[in-house]
mmCIF file with all atom_site columns, all heavy atoms in Angstrom:
data_model
loop_
_atom_site.group_PDB
_atom_site.id
_atom_site.type_symbol
_atom_site.label_atom_id
_atom_site.label_alt_id
_atom_site.label_comp_id
_atom_site.label_asym_id
_atom_site.label_entity_id
_atom_site.label_seq_id
_atom_site.pdbx_PDB_ins_code
_atom_site.Cartn_x
_atom_site.Cartn_y
_atom_site.Cartn_z
_atom_site.occupancy
_atom_site.B_iso_or_equiv
_atom_site.pdbx_formal_charge
_atom_site.auth_seq_id
_atom_site.auth_comp_id
_atom_site.auth_asym_id
_atom_site.auth_atom_id
_atom_site.pdbx_PDB_model_num
ATOM 1   N N   . ALA E 1 31  ? 3.580  11.295  -22.036 1.00 98.00 ? 1154 ALA E N   1
ATOM 2   C CA  . ALA E 1 31  ? 4.948  10.784  -21.908 1.00 98.00 ? 1154 ALA E CA  1
ATOM 3   C C   . ALA E 1 31  ? 5.806  11.293  -23.070 1.00 98.00 ? 1154 ALA E C   1
ATOM 4   O O   . ALA E 1 31  ? 6.950  11.719  -22.879 1.00 98.00 ? 1154 ALA E O   1
ATOM 5   C CB  . ALA E 1 31  ? 4.925  9.254   -21.890 1.00 98.00 ? 1154 ALA E CB  1
ATOM 6   N N   . TYR E 1 125 ? 9.009  -7.814  -21.348 1.00 90.00 ? 1248 TYR E N   1
ATOM 7   C CA  . TYR E 1 125 ? 9.895  -6.756  -20.865 1.00 90.00 ? 1248 TYR E CA  1
ATOM 8   C C   . TYR E 1 125 ? 9.699  -6.620  -19.362 1.00 90.00 ? 1248 TYR E C   1
ATOM 9   O O   . TYR E 1 125 ? 8.566  -6.539  -18.881 1.00 90.00 ? 1248 TYR E O   1
ATOM 10  C CB  . TYR E 1 125 ? 9.511  -5.450  -21.581 1.00 90.00 ? 1248 TYR E CB  1
ATOM 11  C CG  . TYR E 1 125 ? 10.438 -4.298  -21.310 1.00 90.00 ? 1248 TYR E CG  1
ATOM 12  C CD1 . TYR E 1 125 ? 11.709 -4.272  -21.860 1.00 90.00 ? 1248 TYR E CD1 1
ATOM 13  C CD2 . TYR E 1 125 ? 10.029 -3.229  -20.514 1.00 90.00 ? 1248 TYR E CD2 1
ATOM 14  C CE1 . TYR E 1 125 ? 12.563 -3.203  -21.617 1.00 90.00 ? 1248 TYR E CE1 1
ATOM 15  C CE2 . TYR E 1 125 ? 10.871 -2.153  -20.276 1.00 90.00 ? 1248 TYR E CE2 1
ATOM 16  C CZ  . TYR E 1 125 ? 12.140 -2.147  -20.829 1.00 90.00 ? 1248 TYR E CZ  1
ATOM 17  O OH  . TYR E 1 125 ? 12.970 -1.089  -20.590 1.00 90.00 ? 1248 TYR E OH  1
ATOM 18  N N   . GLU E 1 126 ? 10.811 -6.634  -18.644 1.00 91.00 ? 1249 GLU E N   1
ATOM 19  C CA  . GLU E 1 126 ? 10.730 -6.518  -17.174 1.00 91.00 ? 1249 GLU E CA  1
ATOM 20  C C   . GLU E 1 126 ? 10.336 -5.096  -16.800 1.00 91.00 ? 1249 GLU E C   1
ATOM 21  O O   . GLU E 1 126 ? 11.073 -4.154  -17.085 1.00 91.00 ? 1249 GLU E O   1
ATOM 22  C CB  . GLU E 1 126 ? 12.094 -6.851  -16.543 1.00 91.00 ? 1249 GLU E CB  1
ATOM 23  C CG  . GLU E 1 126 ? 12.348 -8.328  -16.333 1.00 91.00 ? 1249 GLU E CG  1
ATOM 24  C CD  . GLU E 1 126 ? 11.200 -9.069  -15.654 1.00 91.00 ? 1249 GLU E CD  1
ATOM 25  O OE1 . GLU E 1 126 ? 10.700 -8.581  -14.625 1.00 91.00 ? 1249 GLU E OE1 1
ATOM 26  O OE2 . GLU E 1 126 ? 10.770 -10.118 -16.179 1.00 91.00 ? 1249 GLU E OE2 1
ATOM 27  N N   . SER E 1 127 ? 9.164  -4.954  -16.210 1.00 91.00 ? 1250 SER E N   1
ATOM 28  C CA  . SER E 1 127 ? 8.701  -3.610  -15.878 1.00 91.00 ? 1250 SER E CA  1
ATOM 29  C C   . SER E 1 127 ? 7.739  -3.701  -14.696 1.00 91.00 ? 1250 SER E C   1
ATOM 30  O O   . SER E 1 127 ? 6.997  -4.679  -14.578 1.00 91.00 ? 1250 SER E O   1
ATOM 31  C CB  . SER E 1 127 ? 7.983  -3.021  -17.098 1.00 91.00 ? 1250 SER E CB  1
ATOM 32  O OG  . SER E 1 127 ? 7.232  -1.906  -16.720 1.00 91.00 ? 1250 SER E OG  1
ATOM 33  N N   . PRO E 1 128 ? 7.736  -2.699  -13.827 1.00 90.00 ? 1251 PRO E N   1
ATOM 34  C CA  . PRO E 1 128 ? 6.831  -2.763  -12.676 1.00 90.00 ? 1251 PRO E CA  1
ATOM 35  C C   . PRO E 1 128 ? 5.365  -2.492  -13.044 1.00 90.00 ? 1251 PRO E C   1
ATOM 36  O O   . PRO E 1 128 ? 4.479  -2.711  -12.226 1.00 90.00 ? 1251 PRO E O   1
ATOM 37  C CB  . PRO E 1 128 ? 7.367  -1.673  -11.741 1.00 90.00 ? 1251 PRO E CB  1
ATOM 38  C CG  . PRO E 1 128 ? 8.102  -0.730  -12.630 1.00 90.00 ? 1251 PRO E CG  1
ATOM 39  C CD  . PRO E 1 128 ? 8.613  -1.525  -13.784 1.00 90.00 ? 1251 PRO E CD  1
ATOM 40  N N   . PHE E 1 129 ? 5.103  -2.001  -14.258 1.00 91.00 ? 1252 PHE E N   1
ATOM 41  C CA  . PHE E 1 129 ? 3.728  -1.682  -14.659 1.00 91.00 ? 1252 PHE E CA  1
ATOM 42  C C   . PHE E 1 129 ? 3.400  -2.321  -16.013 1.00 91.00 ? 1252 PHE E C   1
ATOM 43  O O   . PHE E 1 129 ? 4.291  -2.540  -16.834 1.00 91.00 ? 1252 PHE E O   1
ATOM 44  C CB  . PHE E 1 129 ? 3.512  -0.164  -14.747 1.00 91.00 ? 1252 PHE E CB  1
ATOM 45  C CG  . PHE E 1 129 ? 3.602  0.524   -13.413 1.00 91.00 ? 1252 PHE E CG  1
ATOM 46  C CD1 . PHE E 1 129 ? 4.805  1.049   -12.980 1.00 91.00 ? 1252 PHE E CD1 1
ATOM 47  C CD2 . PHE E 1 129 ? 2.497  0.614   -12.583 1.00 91.00 ? 1252 PHE E CD2 1
ATOM 48  C CE1 . PHE E 1 129 ? 4.899  1.666   -11.739 1.00 91.00 ? 1252 PHE E CE1 1
ATOM 49  C CE2 . PHE E 1 129 ? 2.580  1.233   -11.343 1.00 91.00 ? 1252 PHE E CE2 1
ATOM 50  C CZ  . PHE E 1 129 ? 3.786  1.753   -10.919 1.00 91.00 ? 1252 PHE E CZ  1
ATOM 51  N N   . ALA E 1 130 ? 2.092  -2.578  -16.215 1.00 88.00 ? 1253 ALA E N   1
ATOM 52  C CA  . ALA E 1 130 ? 1.679  -3.290  -17.428 1.00 88.00 ? 1253 ALA E CA  1
ATOM 53  C C   . ALA E 1 130 ? 1.878  -2.455  -18.698 1.00 88.00 ? 1253 ALA E C   1
ATOM 54  O O   . ALA E 1 130 ? 2.166  -2.996  -19.753 1.00 88.00 ? 1253 ALA E O   1
ATOM 55  C CB  . ALA E 1 130 ? 0.215  -3.706  -17.307 1.00 88.00 ? 1253 ALA E CB  1
ATOM 56  N N   . ASN E 1 131 ? 1.718  -1.145  -18.595 1.00 93.00 ? 1254 ASN E N   1
ATOM 57  C CA  . ASN E 1 131 ? 1.828  -0.288  -19.780 1.00 93.00 ? 1254 ASN E CA  1
ATOM 58  C C   . ASN E 1 131 ? 3.145  0.471   -19.749 1.00 93.00 ? 1254 ASN E C   1
ATOM 59  O O   . ASN E 1 131 ? 3.282  1.442   -19.005 1.00 93.00 ? 1254 ASN E O   1
ATOM 60  C CB  . ASN E 1 131 ? 0.667  0.714   -19.821 1.00 93.00 ? 1254 ASN E CB  1
ATOM 61  C CG  . ASN E 1 131 ? -0.646 0.044   -20.143 1.00 93.00 ? 1254 ASN E CG  1
ATOM 62  O OD1 . ASN E 1 131 ? -0.690 -0.904  -20.911 1.00 93.00 ? 1254 ASN E OD1 1
ATOM 63  N ND2 . ASN E 1 131 ? -1.716 0.538   -19.551 1.00 93.00 ? 1254 ASN E ND2 1
ATOM 64  N N   . THR E 1 132 ? 4.084  0.038   -20.569 1.00 96.00 ? 1255 THR E N   1
ATOM 65  C CA  . THR E 1 132 ? 5.417  0.657   -20.534 1.00 96.00 ? 1255 THR E CA  1
ATOM 66  C C   . THR E 1 132 ? 5.786  1.160   -21.927 1.00 96.00 ? 1255 THR E C   1
ATOM 67  O O   . THR E 1 132 ? 5.520  0.495   -22.932 1.00 96.00 ? 1255 THR E O   1
ATOM 68  C CB  . THR E 1 132 ? 6.459  -0.378  -20.065 1.00 96.00 ? 1255 THR E CB  1
ATOM 69  O OG1 . THR E 1 132 ? 6.092  -0.821  -18.757 1.00 96.00 ? 1255 THR E OG1 1
ATOM 70  C CG2 . THR E 1 132 ? 7.866  0.204   -20.015 1.00 96.00 ? 1255 THR E CG2 1
ATOM 71  N N   . VAL E 1 133 ? 6.403  2.340   -21.958 1.00 98.00 ? 1256 VAL E N   1
ATOM 72  C CA  . VAL E 1 133 ? 6.889  2.888   -23.235 1.00 98.00 ? 1256 VAL E CA  1
ATOM 73  C C   . VAL E 1 133 ? 8.307  3.416   -23.021 1.00 98.00 ? 1256 VAL E C   1
ATOM 74  O O   . VAL E 1 133 ? 8.582  4.093   -22.024 1.00 98.00 ? 1256 VAL E O   1
ATOM 75  C CB  . VAL E 1 133 ? 5.931  3.972   -23.808 1.00 98.00 ? 1256 VAL E CB  1
ATOM 76  C CG1 . VAL E 1 133 ? 5.584  5.037   -22.801 1.00 98.00 ? 1256 VAL E CG1 1
ATOM 77  C CG2 . VAL E 1 133 ? 6.504  4.609   -25.073 1.00 98.00 ? 1256 VAL E CG2 1
ATOM 78  N N   . GLU E 1 148 ? 12.144 5.912   -19.800 1.00 98.00 ? 1271 GLU E N   1
ATOM 79  C CA  . GLU E 1 148 ? 11.100 4.877   -19.727 1.00 98.00 ? 1271 GLU E CA  1
ATOM 80  C C   . GLU E 1 148 ? 9.932  5.434   -18.914 1.00 98.00 ? 1271 GLU E C   1
ATOM 81  O O   . GLU E 1 148 ? 10.140 6.016   -17.854 1.00 98.00 ? 1271 GLU E O   1
ATOM 82  C CB  . GLU E 1 148 ? 11.707 3.647   -19.038 1.00 98.00 ? 1271 GLU E CB  1
ATOM 83  C CG  . GLU E 1 148 ? 10.755 2.484   -18.880 1.00 98.00 ? 1271 GLU E CG  1
ATOM 84  C CD  . GLU E 1 148 ? 11.494 1.211   -18.440 1.00 98.00 ? 1271 GLU E CD  1
ATOM 85  O OE1 . GLU E 1 148 ? 12.616 0.949   -18.956 1.00 98.00 ? 1271 GLU E OE1 1
ATOM 86  O OE2 . GLU E 1 148 ? 10.961 0.493   -17.583 1.00 98.00 ? 1271 GLU E OE2 1
ATOM 87  N N   . TYR E 1 149 ? 8.736  5.237   -19.422 1.00 98.00 ? 1272 TYR E N   1
ATOM 88  C CA  . TYR E 1 149 ? 7.539  5.760   -18.750 1.00 98.00 ? 1272 TYR E CA  1
ATOM 89  C C   . TYR E 1 149 ? 6.527  4.632   -18.550 1.00 98.00 ? 1272 TYR E C   1
ATOM 90  O O   . TYR E 1 149 ? 6.472  3.675   -19.337 1.00 98.00 ? 1272 TYR E O   1
ATOM 91  C CB  . TYR E 1 149 ? 6.860  6.845   -19.597 1.00 98.00 ? 1272 TYR E CB  1
ATOM 92  C CG  . TYR E 1 149 ? 7.699  8.080   -19.827 1.00 98.00 ? 1272 TYR E CG  1
ATOM 93  C CD1 . TYR E 1 149 ? 8.630  8.112   -20.861 1.00 98.00 ? 1272 TYR E CD1 1
ATOM 94  C CD2 . TYR E 1 149 ? 7.558  9.205   -19.027 1.00 98.00 ? 1272 TYR E CD2 1
ATOM 95  C CE1 . TYR E 1 149 ? 9.404  9.238   -21.088 1.00 98.00 ? 1272 TYR E CE1 1
ATOM 96  C CE2 . TYR E 1 149 ? 8.325  10.348  -19.257 1.00 98.00 ? 1272 TYR E CE2 1
ATOM 97  C CZ  . TYR E 1 149 ? 9.241  10.350  -20.284 1.00 98.00 ? 1272 TYR E CZ  1
ATOM 98  O OH  . TYR E 1 149 ? 10.005 11.482  -20.506 1.00 98.00 ? 1272 TYR E OH  1
ATOM 99  N N   . TYR E 1 150 ? 5.696  4.817   -17.541 1.00 97.00 ? 1273 TYR E N   1
ATOM 100 C CA  . TYR E 1 150 ? 4.612  3.874   -17.280 1.00 97.00 ? 1273 TYR E CA  1
ATOM 101 C C   . TYR E 1 150 ? 3.299  4.645   -17.339 1.00 97.00 ? 1273 TYR E C   1
ATOM 102 O O   . TYR E 1 150 ? 3.163  5.698   -16.713 1.00 97.00 ? 1273 TYR E O   1
ATOM 103 C CB  . TYR E 1 150 ? 4.776  3.231   -15.899 1.00 97.00 ? 1273 TYR E CB  1
ATOM 104 C CG  . TYR E 1 150 ? 6.191  2.757   -15.655 1.00 97.00 ? 1273 TYR E CG  1
ATOM 105 C CD1 . TYR E 1 150 ? 6.990  3.337   -14.674 1.00 97.00 ? 1273 TYR E CD1 1
ATOM 106 C CD2 . TYR E 1 150 ? 6.738  1.754   -16.461 1.00 97.00 ? 1273 TYR E CD2 1
ATOM 107 C CE1 . TYR E 1 150 ? 8.293  2.928   -14.481 1.00 97.00 ? 1273 TYR E CE1 1
ATOM 108 C CE2 . TYR E 1 150 ? 8.046  1.340   -16.269 1.00 97.00 ? 1273 TYR E CE2 1
ATOM 109 C CZ  . TYR E 1 150 ? 8.829  1.931   -15.282 1.00 97.00 ? 1273 TYR E CZ  1
ATOM 110 O OH  . TYR E 1 150 ? 10.130 1.521   -15.106 1.00 97.00 ? 1273 TYR E OH  1
ATOM 111 N N   . SER E 1 151 ? 2.356  4.105   -18.101 1.00 96.00 ? 1274 SER E N   1
ATOM 112 C CA  . SER E 1 151 ? 1.031  4.723   -18.165 1.00 96.00 ? 1274 SER E CA  1
ATOM 113 C C   . SER E 1 151 ? 0.150  3.932   -17.204 1.00 96.00 ? 1274 SER E C   1
ATOM 114 O O   . SER E 1 151 ? -0.198 2.782   -17.461 1.00 96.00 ? 1274 SER E O   1
ATOM 115 C CB  . SER E 1 151 ? 0.502  4.645   -19.608 1.00 96.00 ? 1274 SER E CB  1
ATOM 116 O OG  . SER E 1 151 ? -0.754 5.256   -19.686 1.00 96.00 ? 1274 SER E OG  1
ATOM 117 N N   . ILE E 1 152 ? -0.177 4.541   -16.067 1.00 94.00 ? 1275 ILE E N   1
ATOM 118 C CA  . ILE E 1 152 ? -0.728 3.757   -14.943 1.00 94.00 ? 1275 ILE E CA  1
ATOM 119 C C   . ILE E 1 152 ? -2.243 3.860   -14.828 1.00 94.00 ? 1275 ILE E C   1
ATOM 120 O O   . ILE E 1 152 ? -2.817 3.476   -13.811 1.00 94.00 ? 1275 ILE E O   1
ATOM 121 C CB  . ILE E 1 152 ? -0.053 4.156   -13.616 1.00 94.00 ? 1275 ILE E CB  1
ATOM 122 C CG1 . ILE E 1 152 ? -0.251 5.646   -13.327 1.00 94.00 ? 1275 ILE E CG1 1
ATOM 123 C CG2 . ILE E 1 152 ? 1.428  3.812   -13.645 1.00 94.00 ? 1275 ILE E CG2 1
ATOM 124 C CD1 . ILE E 1 152 ? 0.182  6.060   -11.928 1.00 94.00 ? 1275 ILE E CD1 1
ATOM 125 N N   . GLY E 1 153 ? -2.896 4.355   -15.896 1.00 93.00 ? 1276 GLY E N   1
ATOM 126 C CA  . GLY E 1 153 ? -4.363 4.409   -15.882 1.00 93.00 ? 1276 GLY E CA  1
ATOM 127 C C   . GLY E 1 153 ? -4.869 5.827   -15.707 1.00 93.00 ? 1276 GLY E C   1
ATOM 128 O O   . GLY E 1 153 ? -4.265 6.636   -14.994 1.00 93.00 ? 1276 GLY E O   1
ATOM 129 N N   . PHE E 1 156 ? -2.669 9.075   -16.097 1.00 95.00 ? 1279 PHE E N   1
ATOM 130 C CA  . PHE E 1 156 ? -1.546 9.355   -15.191 1.00 95.00 ? 1279 PHE E CA  1
ATOM 131 C C   . PHE E 1 156 ? -0.309 8.630   -15.733 1.00 95.00 ? 1279 PHE E C   1
ATOM 132 O O   . PHE E 1 156 ? -0.405 7.486   -16.196 1.00 95.00 ? 1279 PHE E O   1
ATOM 133 C CB  . PHE E 1 156 ? -1.840 8.839   -13.780 1.00 95.00 ? 1279 PHE E CB  1
ATOM 134 C CG  . PHE E 1 156 ? -2.906 9.617   -13.059 1.00 95.00 ? 1279 PHE E CG  1
ATOM 135 C CD1 . PHE E 1 156 ? -4.253 9.284   -13.199 1.00 95.00 ? 1279 PHE E CD1 1
ATOM 136 C CD2 . PHE E 1 156 ? -2.570 10.675  -12.221 1.00 95.00 ? 1279 PHE E CD2 1
ATOM 137 C CE1 . PHE E 1 156 ? -5.239 9.993   -12.522 1.00 95.00 ? 1279 PHE E CE1 1
ATOM 138 C CE2 . PHE E 1 156 ? -3.550 11.387  -11.545 1.00 95.00 ? 1279 PHE E CE2 1
ATOM 139 C CZ  . PHE E 1 156 ? -4.882 11.053  -11.694 1.00 95.00 ? 1279 PHE E CZ  1
ATOM 140 N N   . ILE E 1 157 ? 0.855  9.303   -15.644 1.00 96.00 ? 1280 ILE E N   1
ATOM 141 C CA  . ILE E 1 157 ? 2.101  8.634   -16.046 1.00 96.00 ? 1280 ILE E CA  1
ATOM 142 C C   . ILE E 1 157 ? 3.141  8.741   -14.931 1.00 96.00 ? 1280 ILE E C   1
ATOM 143 O O   . ILE E 1 157 ? 3.076  9.650   -14.088 1.00 96.00 ? 1280 ILE E O   1
ATOM 144 C CB  . ILE E 1 157 ? 2.709  9.219   -17.344 1.00 96.00 ? 1280 ILE E CB  1
ATOM 145 C CG1 . ILE E 1 157 ? 2.933  10.738  -17.229 1.00 96.00 ? 1280 ILE E CG1 1
ATOM 146 C CG2 . ILE E 1 157 ? 1.871  8.881   -18.546 1.00 96.00 ? 1280 ILE E CG2 1
ATOM 147 C CD1 . ILE E 1 157 ? 3.830  11.296  -18.329 1.00 96.00 ? 1280 ILE E CD1 1
ATOM 148 N N   . LEU E 1 158 ? 4.091  7.806   -14.949 1.00 95.00 ? 1281 LEU E N   1
ATOM 149 C CA  . LEU E 1 158 ? 5.260  7.869   -14.068 1.00 95.00 ? 1281 LEU E CA  1
ATOM 150 C C   . LEU E 1 158 ? 6.476  7.697   -14.960 1.00 95.00 ? 1281 LEU E C   1
ATOM 151 O O   . LEU E 1 158 ? 6.440  6.931   -15.917 1.00 95.00 ? 1281 LEU E O   1
ATOM 152 C CB  . LEU E 1 158 ? 5.243  6.726   -13.062 1.00 95.00 ? 1281 LEU E CB  1
ATOM 153 C CG  . LEU E 1 158 ? 4.220  6.754   -11.934 1.00 95.00 ? 1281 LEU E CG  1
ATOM 154 C CD1 . LEU E 1 158 ? 4.318  5.467   -11.136 1.00 95.00 ? 1281 LEU E CD1 1
ATOM 155 C CD2 . LEU E 1 158 ? 4.455  7.957   -11.028 1.00 95.00 ? 1281 LEU E CD2 1
ATOM 156 N N   . ARG E 1 159 ? 7.562  8.392   -14.628 1.00 97.00 ? 1282 ARG E N   1
ATOM 157 C CA  . ARG E 1 159 ? 8.824  8.185   -15.341 1.00 97.00 ? 1282 ARG E CA  1
ATOM 158 C C   . ARG E 1 159 ? 9.697  7.282   -14.485 1.00 97.00 ? 1282 ARG E C   1
ATOM 159 O O   . ARG E 1 159 ? 9.674  7.398   -13.256 1.00 97.00 ? 1282 ARG E O   1
ATOM 160 C CB  . ARG E 1 159 ? 9.505  9.547   -15.570 1.00 97.00 ? 1282 ARG E CB  1
ATOM 161 C CG  . ARG E 1 159 ? 10.701 9.504   -16.501 1.00 97.00 ? 1282 ARG E CG  1
ATOM 162 C CD  . ARG E 1 159 ? 11.098 10.926  -16.907 1.00 97.00 ? 1282 ARG E CD  1
ATOM 163 N NE  . ARG E 1 159 ? 11.495 11.723  -15.760 1.00 97.00 ? 1282 ARG E NE  1
ATOM 164 C CZ  . ARG E 1 159 ? 12.753 11.875  -15.349 1.00 97.00 ? 1282 ARG E CZ  1
ATOM 165 N NH1 . ARG E 1 159 ? 13.734 11.284  -15.995 1.00 97.00 ? 1282 ARG E NH1 1
ATOM 166 N NH2 . ARG E 1 159 ? 13.030 12.629  -14.303 1.00 97.00 ? 1282 ARG E NH2 1
ATOM 167 N N   . LYS E 1 160 ? 10.436 6.385   -15.116 1.00 96.00 ? 1283 LYS E N   1
ATOM 168 C CA  . LYS E 1 160 ? 11.288 5.472   -14.364 1.00 96.00 ? 1283 LYS E CA  1
ATOM 169 C C   . LYS E 1 160 ? 12.200 6.280   -13.438 1.00 96.00 ? 1283 LYS E C   1
ATOM 170 O O   . LYS E 1 160 ? 12.814 7.255   -13.858 1.00 96.00 ? 1283 LYS E O   1
ATOM 171 C CB  . LYS E 1 160 ? 12.147 4.623   -15.319 1.00 96.00 ? 1283 LYS E CB  1
ATOM 172 C CG  . LYS E 1 160 ? 12.910 3.551   -14.612 1.00 96.00 ? 1283 LYS E CG  1
ATOM 173 C CD  . LYS E 1 160 ? 13.672 2.701   -15.611 1.00 96.00 ? 1283 LYS E CD  1
ATOM 174 C CE  . LYS E 1 160 ? 14.400 1.580   -14.862 1.00 96.00 ? 1283 LYS E CE  1
ATOM 175 N NZ  . LYS E 1 160 ? 15.170 0.747   -15.769 1.00 96.00 ? 1283 LYS E NZ  1
ATOM 176 N N   . GLY E 1 161 ? 12.258 5.839   -12.201 1.00 91.00 ? 1284 GLY E N   1
ATOM 177 C CA  . GLY E 1 161 ? 13.071 6.569   -11.226 1.00 91.00 ? 1284 GLY E CA  1
ATOM 178 C C   . GLY E 1 161 ? 12.244 7.558   -10.433 1.00 91.00 ? 1284 GLY E C   1
ATOM 179 O O   . GLY E 1 161 ? 12.686 8.069   -9.404  1.00 91.00 ? 1284 GLY E O   1
ATOM 180 N N   . GLU E 1 163 ? 9.033  6.694   -9.556  1.00 65.00 ? 1286 GLU E N   1
ATOM 181 C CA  . GLU E 1 163 ? 7.862  5.917   -9.137  1.00 65.00 ? 1286 GLU E CA  1
ATOM 182 C C   . GLU E 1 163 ? 7.350  6.377   -7.779  1.00 65.00 ? 1286 GLU E C   1
ATOM 183 O O   . GLU E 1 163 ? 6.165  6.444   -7.530  1.00 65.00 ? 1286 GLU E O   1
ATOM 184 C CB  . GLU E 1 163 ? 8.187  4.416   -9.075  1.00 65.00 ? 1286 GLU E CB  1
ATOM 185 C CG  . GLU E 1 163 ? 8.418  3.787   -10.428 1.00 65.00 ? 1286 GLU E CG  1
ATOM 186 C CD  . GLU E 1 163 ? 9.879  3.728   -10.792 1.00 65.00 ? 1286 GLU E CD  1
ATOM 187 O OE1 . GLU E 1 163 ? 10.621 4.679   -10.464 1.00 65.00 ? 1286 GLU E OE1 1
ATOM 188 O OE2 . GLU E 1 163 ? 10.290 2.725   -11.399 1.00 65.00 ? 1286 GLU E OE2 1
#
Side-chain angles (χ1 to χ4, degrees):
Y1248 187 72
E1249 276 312 312
S1250 164
F1252 293 93
N1254 289 325
T1255 300
V1256 51
E1271 180 169 319
Y1272 297 84
Y1273 313 114
S1274 181
I1275 59 170
F1279 290 87
I1280 55 166
L1281 289 175
R1282 190 167 62 94
K1283 187 177 182 181
E1286 291 95 323

